[in-house]
Amino acid sequence: MDLKVSAAGEQVIVPEGTTAVIGADPSATIRLARPGISRRHAVLKYTDSQWVVQDASSRNGTFHNGTRVQTIDIKGPTTIRLGHPTEGAEVVLVPSNVAAKPVPTAGSAKPATPPPLARTRVTPTTPATASGSSDPRLDDLVASLNDTVKSIKGLTWSVWAMIAVTAVLALLTLFVGIIGN
C-alpha cells in the first residue's frame, strides 16, 4: 500500500517499504521551507502493514486535531500540521492500494526494489496571483510569501509587544544620543 502525501501544492506518492522525510532540508522527500518547520520535521514509515508518521524531535512539533503528537498510525485519510496546531503547514496523508507489483520469476536473482517516488504538481483551486501567471517559480514564490504572512499573523500578542518595546527603546537610545551631543 502506497501513501499519497499532499503538502504545499504538491503530491508525492511514497511507495510501500520506503521511508520519507518531511522538512525544510533540501534533501527531504517532502520539502516544506517555511518558518516553524525543522530540517527533519517528521518521518513517514511503513511498519507492520500500516503507515506511521513520527515527529523527528522537531522544535515546534507535529499536530493532529490540534494536539501535539509523537507518533500517529495512518489508517485512513489523515491531516497533520507541522510547526503550529492551527496555522502550521498542512500535510494530508492518504494510504492507497496500488496495482499488484510484478512477481520476480524463479530464475531472477535480482531483488525487487521499490519504485521511485512519483511527484505531481497540484493546481491550486484559487489563482496564486492576480495576474494569473503561468510561471511555476512565481507561483512558488507567491505561495511562500502567503505562508510567511500566515506565520506572521500567528504571532502572539506578547511577541508583538516585545517588538514594540524594542522599537521604543531603540528610539529612546537614539534620542538620548542626539541630546548628549
Side-chain angles (χ1 to χ4, degrees), residues 18 39 50-51 55 57 65 81 84 119 158 162 167-168 177:
T18 311
R39 293 177 66 75
Q50 72 178 10
W51 284 97
D55 185 83
S57 299
N65 293 333
R81 289 198 175 265
H84 189 273
R119 291 186 184 272
S158 61
M162 287 181 1
V168 168

Side-chain angles (χ1 to χ4, degrees), residues 88-113:
E90 183 178 84
V91 180
V92 179
L93 309 164
V94 181
S96 61
N97 294 328
V98 293
K101 296 178 182 172
V103 178
T105 60
S108 171
K110 186 176 180 182
T113 58

